[in-house]
Amino acid sequence: MASYKSNNKQSLLLWLGLSSFLLILDQLTKIIAKNNLFEGVSQPVTSFLNWTLVYNSGAAFSFLAQAGGWQRWFFTGVGIIAALVMIWLIRKNCHQTIFSLALSLILSGAIGNVIDRVLYGAVVDFVDLHYMGWHWPAFNIADSAITIGVILLIIDEIKRVNK
């Protein structure tokens, strides 16, 4: 029994370590973007990628960005509650690899964006993908981690249901 608890603790630390690494990477890239880019000014990288610093005070795709300011604290609170729930779920299910990986990714992204809301009042985005005049909304490492995590959750659920 002691060995099982030790393995659980090691697994939990592994998943939280991954989240911490991605959180640090997210925050470092945002600092680099803030220090090297001008807000709203695109710097072309390739034919389909620009670095463009924007601040998103809303949620995904700028949902509620013009809501008057209350959304900053609402999304901060939701992010904190979600992070606590994800830590609990990882702890409870740390040997389920895909599930724990997915939650670790989502956790890092949620905390990264919460930090932005607290420090800057909005999420710092800087990756601008485009094709033939069509632009995907700007995003960051945290958003990418959340997206990949959600995809992995869907895959994990499909595998679970098909067993």
Side-chain angles (χ1 to χ4, degrees):
M1 187 66 150
S3 171
Y4 179 75
K5 284 189 178 194
S6 175
N7 287 340
N8 274 354
K9 186 173 183 176
Q10 288 174 336
S11 294
L12 176 63
L13 290 176
L14 172 75
W15 298 123
L16 294 181
L18 173 62
S19 285
S20 298
F21 172 77
L22 291 171
L23 174 61
I24 291 166
L25 181 64
D26 172 64
Q27 291 299 301
L28 284 175
T29 57
K30 289 173 180 174
I31 290 168
I32 292 167
K34 285 175 56 58
N35 289 337
N36 293 287
L37 300 172
F38 294 101
E39 186 175 359
V41 178
S42 293
Q43 288 190 355
V45 178
T46 69
S47 63
F48 60 89
L49 171 68
N50 297 333
W51 299 138
T52 307
L53 179 64
V54 294
Y55 294 89
N56 180 2
S57 60
F61 306 107
S62 296
F63 175 68
L64 293 177
Q66 305 301 320
W70 63 267
Q71 73 277 20
R72 172 186 185 184
W73 302 111
F74 174 75
F75 291 131
T76 297
V78 168
I80 291 168
I81 291 167
L84 293 171
V85 169
M86 284 183 275
I87 291 168
W88 176 76
L89 285 169
I90 293 168
R91 183 174 176 259
K92 186 177 176 196
N93 302 286
C94 60
H95 290 296
Q96 294 181 27
T97 304
I98 296 174
F99 182 75
S100 295
L101 174 59
L103 287 183
S104 295
L105 293 170
I106 297 168
L107 175 63
S108 69
I111 293 173
N113 287 341
V114 163
I115 289 170
D116 289 6
R117 289 183 195 288
V118 170
L119 293 180
Y120 314 118
V123 174
V124 177
D125 291 325
F126 59 91
V127 180
D128 175 24
L129 292 177
H130 57 90
Y131 179 72
M132 295 177 56
W134 175 85
H135 285 256
W136 186 259
F139 61 96
N140 57 44
I141 302 268
D143 299 333
S144 299
I146 291 169
T147 301
I148 294 167
V150 168
I151 291 167
L152 288 172
L153 276 180
I154 292 167
I155 290 168
D156 188 53
E157 183 61 15
I158 290 169
K159 286 177 132 184
R160 188 188 67 73
V161 168
N162 286 335
K163 279 188 178 181

